Amino acid sequence: MVPEVVQCPVRPFDGQRPGTSGLRKKTSVFRQPGYLEAYVQASFDAMGGIAGRTMVLGGDGRFFALEAAQTILRMAAANGATRAIVGQGALLSTPAASHLIRLRGADFGIVLSASHNPGGPDGDFGVKLNLANGGPAPEAVTEAIHARSRTVDSYRTLDSGDIDLSATGTTTLGQMTVEVVDPVADYADLMAGLFDFDAIRALFAGGFRIRFDAMNAITGPYATEILERRLGAAPGSVVNAVPLPDFGGLHPDPNPTWAAELIALMEAPGAPDFAAASDGDGDRHMILGPALYVSPSDSFAVLAANAHLAPAYAGGLKGVARSMPTSSAADRVASALGIECHETPTGWKFFGNLLDAGRATLCGEESFGAGSDHVREKDGLWAVLLWLNILAVRGEGVAAILDDHWRRFGRTWYSRHDYEALPQEVADAVIAGLRGQLATLRGHKTAGLTVTAADDFSYVDPVDGSVSMGQGLRVCLSGEARFVLRLSGTGTEGATLRLYLERHDTSAGGDVQTALSSVAAAAEEIAGIRRITGRPAPDVVT
Ligand code: VG1
Ligand code: CO
């Protein structure tokens, strides 16, 4: 018997406005009756309905994802979707979901993840919507979802029970076909087609040692299949490899603060040759060498400068794109290569048009994100594999490659200081204080530096002409230095201020925070973050 479609009344919820990357809230907020349903119906409506469409569905396996997947499947069937392609166990990394949408010609995808935010009943949950190109819904769509969420008064669902997502195979739910697929296989095949797996296999066979920390999140199964099974890294190279609903209590954010154990391993004698970690949904990467942390902006620049060593990019890059707060290290590579370089607002959704139009091959963000036109998301394992491909071909270690990079391009010292969970009004006061000075800052001298320009970044998409305003406050300083201040759009508790510090020179060695001390002093004197918030120091430094 075909289950009946039912129309359930629901009230609109406040604050269903997608941020930098989907709608992210406390899990307890998402679990309120009708909350997820109202948001999903608003999303379907904002896409003009989903009758006759194909959906890809998966996520990072966090607490509440299985329940949410069943709810979304029932709603998709009731809204007339004809096919759902679901990762087994409702699992799919963000880049694997992006690939599956493209591979199968799906119309859209939903990724159940709050990315690097902790999970569990007291943690965070999130819903990300991607469109037919495999990329995050652009601002016009996320704004339409928000608008619709304010008026939605009912949702459509099926009067039916849960379906089995634990085994691969095809079944039906109402009139909709549900295909449960291996979440790893297609993605692993894609990687095998991009990189020189033989060269990487030879590297491991020669005794090269790697440690990959999946942080009890989604990349475990992918990294185990690709690094250990297909490439022959020693068994046990991938640690914290089983996705857990609460990430084993870890904060699945691959940075020096949250991946402290990996950092300690790499600082100790006998460290492996290379280490990496990824985040909750598998789109971020952190790269380490023995006693060496590679800043994400440098990682992106090194990848851009060496990508031609991998088969997929042997013909060269069409262009690169980076988010505005990301350092200018990649710009120097682009100019040496004679290719286009784009500066976009924060968030992967702004790269989609450039990738689709063939104006950028590689994209990167300072927040441990890099990717290419192979999908429309940033991709943690992709970055790790490109690094391995480069190491294998060059026959050098991470340190030698970085040193060489800095010798060729100079060093772009870079650091991000995060002040987390501030009262919203305090964070707003810091932003308003700096914004109010922008018009008159030019020529201002402090900490031995002079302000050369200051603005509130706005972006005109060169492909479709869409305009995004208020994307971060930028203060350029003499000595090829600058600082940027913006509010995070992914937090779920109070407000997070991000201060991005940067300075370029020709030196190579030394301590990053020391090299940036004058820029940090200038930022504090002008923006007064510590003074206004009363916080003596940032919570996280990357
Ligand atoms: C942060 C990062 C941004 C990234 C976004 C999503 O956003 O700064 O670069 O694209 O997270 O990453 P915000 O607004 O908090 O600064 V993921 O891996 O959380 O989907
Ligand atoms: Co992520």
Side-chain angles (χ1 to χ4, degrees):
M1 221 184 68
V2 177
E4 207 186 319
V5 174
V6 285
Q7 190 93 25
C8 301
V10 75
R11 70 174 175 90
F13 290 84
D14 273 345
Q16 291 195 331
R17 176 182 229 141
T20 312
S21 177
L23 185 70
R24 250 172 236 193
K25 300 284 174 193
K26 288 278 160 214
T27 309
S28 55
V29 171
F30 263 105
R31 290 172 85 194
Q32 297 172 84
Y35 189 92
L36 174 70
E37 290 85 346
Y39 183 70
V40 170
Q41 189 64 53
S43 302
F44 290 168
D45 294 351
M47 284 190 281
I50 59 161
R53 311 260 185 109
T54 294
M55 167 178 81
V56 163
L57 178 65
D60 61 12
R62 69 179 59 220
F63 180 82
F64 189 55
L66 276 173
E67 208 178 315
Q70 298 285 356
T71 299
I72 293 168
L73 285 170
R74 277 190 285 271
M75 288 183 64
N79 278 272
T82 44
R83 181 176 286 267
I85 304 168
V86 192
Q88 188 180 3
L91 296 178
L92 276 178
S93 75
T94 289
S98 181
H99 176 53
L100 207 50
I101 293 169
R102 296 164 64 78
L103 181 72
R104 301 294 305 274
D107 299 291
F108 69 100
I110 292 179
V111 178
L112 303 170
S113 172
S115 189
H116 55 286
N117 299 21
D122 302 321
D124 293 347
F125 192 76
V127 175
K128 305 204 269 187
L129 174 69
N130 289 29
L131 301 188
N133 72 343
E139 268 196 335
V141 176
T142 56
E143 289 302 306
I145 295 173
H146 181 229
R148 177 65 185 134
S149 77
R150 297 160 78 111
T151 58
V152 68
D153 58 6
S154 67
Y155 65 90
R156 290 164 78 80
T157 189
L158 283 191
D159 184 15
S160 71
D162 288 355
I163 58 169
D164 182 14
L165 298 176
S166 69
T168 58
T170 299
T171 171
T172 55
L173 180 61
Q175 310 279 4
M176 182 174 80
T177 303
V178 180
E179 211 186 314
V180 180
V181 301
D182 177 340
V184 175
D186 289 322
Y187 177 84
D189 292 346
L190 174 69
M191 294 299 119
L194 297 176
F195 300 114
D196 187 345
F197 269 30
D198 288 338
I200 303 174
R201 220 176 276 124
L203 183 71
F204 287 131
F208 185 90
R209 291 186 305 137
I210 183 177
R211 170 72 63 101
F212 182 92
D213 192 338
M215 305 189 88
N216 301 320
I218 192 66
T219 43
Y222 295 87
T224 306
E225 168 66 20
I226 296 170
L227 297 174
E228 295 189 10
R229 294 206 197 96
R230 298 199 185 194
L231 291 169
S237 296
V238 180
V239 298
N240 297 319
V242 178
L244 301 174
D246 66 347
F247 307 118
L250 293 185
H251 194 145
D253 194 354
N255 65 37
T257 302
W258 298 113
E261 207 176 291
L262 193 65
I263 298 271
L265 174 85
M266 296 307 285
E267 294 290 337
D273 302 292
F274 181 84
S278 191
D279 69 330
D281 62 331
D283 54 3
R284 297 184 176 209
H285 73 280
M286 176 174 71
I287 301 292
L288 304 168
L292 183 66
Y293 159 74
V294 183
S295 112
S297 289
D298 276 347
S299 175
F300 178 54
V302 166
L303 294 180
N306 294 279
H308 62 278
L309 300 176
Y313 312 104
L317 308 177
K318 293 170 189 146
V320 296
R322 64 162 173 87
S323 67
M324 183 275 280
T326 303
S327 93
S328 58
D331 305 26
R332 295 168 202 278
V333 175
S335 111
L337 293 172
I339 56 174
E340 287 185 34
C341 181
H342 302 272
E343 188 176 34
T344 61
T346 295
W348 214 260
K349 59 182 169 235
F350 294 103
F351 293 131
N353 279 345
L354 294 168
L355 291 164
D356 286 348
R359 307 259 320 248
T361 309
L362 257 56
C363 302
E365 291 193 282
E366 53 64 43
S367 53
F368 303 87
S372 88
D373 57 3
H374 68 291
V375 289
R376 294 294 180 273
E377 287 278 4
K378 57 187 185 275
D379 188 341
L381 259 175
W382 168 90
V384 170
L385 291 166
L386 182 48
W387 262 99
L388 289 171
N389 196 143
I390 293 164
L391 292 169
V393 172
R394 288 184 54 162
E396 293 173 299
V398 180
I401 285 176
L402 263 187
D403 278 341
D404 174 60
H405 190 91
W406 293 332
R407 249 195 305 276
R408 279 173 67 198
F409 299 101
R411 176 117 189 221
T412 311
W413 300 95
Y414 188 86
S415 184
R416 184 175 106 184
H417 294 188
D418 293 335
Y419 296 80
E420 297 183 334
L422 293 165
Q424 186 71 48
E425 60 281 6
V426 172
D428 288 346
V430 175
I431 295 284
L434 179 57
R435 184 175 280 126
Q437 298 177 62
L438 291 174
T440 53
L441 267 182
R442 209 165 147 202
H444 181 82
K445 288 185 176 41
T446 179
L449 299 165
T450 307
V451 176
T452 55
D455 70 353
D456 189 346
F457 180 59
S458 62
Y459 178 64
V460 182
D461 185 303
V463 179
D464 68 12
S466 57
V467 179
S468 305
M469 318 253 283
Q471 297 294 329
L473 308 179
R474 208 163 39 163
V475 178
C476 299
L477 301 158
S478 52
E480 295 190 86
R482 72 165 189 174
F483 71 89
V484 171
L485 187 68
R486 61 178 282 280
L487 280 169
S488 158
T490 58
T492 60
E493 247 179 80
T496 292
L497 274 174
R498 304 204 195 285
L499 173 67
Y500 310 79
L501 306 166
E502 173 175 348
R503 186 171 74 79
H504 185 82
D505 68 21
T506 52
S507 66
D511 173 67
V512 179
Q513 300 305 328
T514 310
L516 290 168
S517 59
S518 58
V519 186
E524 180 56 28
E525 193 268 327
I526 294 170
I529 302 176
R530 296 177 194 196
R531 189 176 68 238
I532 298 170
T533 64
R535 295 276 181 91
D539 299 285
V540 176
V541 171
T542 53

